[in-house]
Amino acid sequence: MTTSPDKIGILEVVLNGLMTRYRERVPDVGAIIDAMIDEEIIDSADEIENDHIAFRTMGVPNLGLASFEKIFLHYGYEKREPYNFAEKKLSAYWYAPPAGTTNLPRIFASELRVHELSEKAQQIIHKYTDQVKSDPVDALDLDDATAVDAFLHQPLWEMPTVADYQALLAESEYAAWVIYNRYYLNHFTISVHNLEPGFNTIDEFVSFLENHGFKLNSAGGTIKVSPDGGLRQASTVAQMIDAEFADGQTFRIAGSYVEFAERRVLPQFADLPADQIGREHRRDGFEAANADKIFESTFTTQTGK
């Protein structure tokens, strides 16, 4: 079913709000775009196709994916395959853009299976998340773009203490990231396959990034490749930010990062002329093994390099 133009308009305002704050918070975004313009890969940021955006959530009552996904399902996104990250204790789904759209990002949303953590970590998380007494999305007017934009950038619980953040960091770096960052955009993704020849494969684009001095996530190799070879991904390392915690304490933590994806043309469309190739002709969806390593873009093993 095609989503109404009104809902698409609201969705675009929400997405623009997310990207505006994300660019302010992640200097690498502007620096990469500037470098692409300098190299004449693009003339402006508007030429970049956003492959997908990603969010992290806590799997607790009134929150988690069951709450969060209501926002984007309302705008016509369709829930697709589930993913399980056993070691990191995460569950995830991806969501396809509304039918009939060709330029909106996919969404990848994950949640921490809090009940699988240690008793101590669970107590710390619930100390904050138990402040949320009902599903906050149910009280949100999803047709009010300004309200949704504000919601995605507002605190859901009180500011954590540095001690609680560090305790979570020692057990689950994902938990620590969410307890502070909440629904901030975790990353956006440049579709490299739609760039100019010479930069439109992940290998070429990674070389460009490395030549410009950007620090890339090396977990599982700089370039993560799906078993079918159709999805090839890389990402920067999250930039560290000076975060203010409860009682005015400050501590440097991982913020957000930038991802890059090459979706190769499916074998059955290999003979299509390049100017006829659309999203429907390329490898879709995600790959758990790739995503597992990209999560580590915010982990100390990468940010501490």
Side-chain angles (χ1 to χ4, degrees):
M1 192 172 91
T2 303
T3 304
S4 72
D6 286 348
K7 281 191 177 177
I8 296 297
I10 294 164
L11 172 61
E12 288 175 339
V13 173
V14 171
L15 292 173
N16 286 338
L18 284 165
M19 287 301 299
T20 298
R21 289 171 176 80
Y22 168 75
R23 284 188 65 165
E24 290 170 353
R25 203 161 176 262
V26 187
D28 267 354
V29 180
I32 289 168
I33 291 170
D34 289 346
M36 292 172 73
I37 292 171
D38 289 344
E39 290 267 1
E40 298 183 347
I41 302 171
I42 55 173
D43 292 324
S44 75
D46 295 339
E47 295 174 33
I48 294 173
E49 180 189 338
N50 185 353
D51 181 271
H52 69 272
I53 55 176
F55 298 90
R56 297 179 174 185
T57 73
M58 292 288 197
V60 294
N62 301 317
L63 295 167
L65 292 178
S67 166
F68 182 82
E69 69 181 11
K70 292 175 187 175
I71 298 171
F72 292 98
L73 293 175
H74 178 77
Y75 302 128
Y77 272 83
E78 297 177 7
K79 191 173 185 176
R80 296 292 175 85
E81 292 86 13
Y83 299 93
N84 172 40
F85 304 92
E87 186 179 331
K88 292 180 174 66
K89 302 178 174 62
L90 306 175
S91 300
Y93 285 88
W94 80 276
Y95 302 79
T101 62
T102 58
N103 62 339
L104 295 175
R106 301 165 184 82
I107 289 174
F108 187 90
S110 54
E111 72 174 12
L112 178 66
R113 296 193 293 267
V114 174
H115 65 280
E116 294 183 14
L117 299 180
S118 69
E119 195 63 37
K120 178 185 176 184
Q122 289 186 54
Q123 287 174 354
I124 292 172
I125 290 169
H126 282 289
K127 179 168 80 173
Y128 297 98
T129 61
D130 284 358
Q131 297 166 21
V132 182
K133 302 297 185 184
S134 60
D135 186 335
V137 177
D138 289 345
L140 196 58
D141 179 358
L142 295 175
D143 292 322
D144 181 343
T146 303
V148 176
D149 179 39
F151 171 75
L152 290 169
H153 297 95
Q154 73 184 24
L156 298 168
W157 47 78
E158 67 185 29
M159 189 68 74
T161 65
V162 169
D164 283 344
Y165 176 88
Q166 291 175 322
L168 290 179
L169 192 70
E171 180 172 341
S172 167
E173 298 205 36
Y174 182 106
W177 195 93
V178 180
I179 207 70
Y180 189 89
N181 291 288
R182 303 175 299 275
Y183 287 157
Y184 274 123
L185 195 59
N186 181 254
H187 65 267
F188 104 117
T189 309
I190 294 174
S191 294
V192 303
H193 50 264
N194 284 339
L195 299 175
E196 294 291 317
F199 299 94
N200 62 355
T201 69
I202 199 74
D203 304 79
E204 291 168 322
F205 200 78
V206 161
S207 293
F208 155 76
L209 293 167
E210 291 175 337
N211 289 339
H212 283 270
F214 293 103
K215 189 178 357 177
L216 301 180
N217 172 350
S218 60
T222 302
I223 297 172
K224 290 80 166 134
V225 182
S226 61
D228 62 9
L231 178 60
R232 304 164 73 83
Q233 296 163 276
S235 60
T236 63
V237 170
Q239 292 183 273
M240 300 300 286
I241 58 175
D242 290 316
E244 184 172 323
F245 286 80
D247 305 321
Q249 292 182 289
T250 59
F251 187 69
R252 282 183 71 75
I253 70 169
S256 300
Y257 57 96
V258 185
E259 191 185 319
F260 318 95
E262 176 193 356
R263 295 182 182 274
R264 294 197 164 173
V265 176
L266 295 167
Q268 62 268 38
F269 302 118
D271 295 331
L272 266 185
D275 62 356
Q276 293 180 24
I277 293 171
R279 274 194 180 186
E280 68 274 18
H281 303 119
R282 295 185 182 276
R283 204 301 195 162
D284 208 358
F286 291 84
E287 183 60 47
N290 289 16
D292 183 69
K293 298 304 181 186
I294 289 171
F295 277 124
E296 297 180 23
S297 295
T298 62
F299 287 16
T300 50
T301 50
Q302 295 297 317
T303 60
K305 288 192 303 185

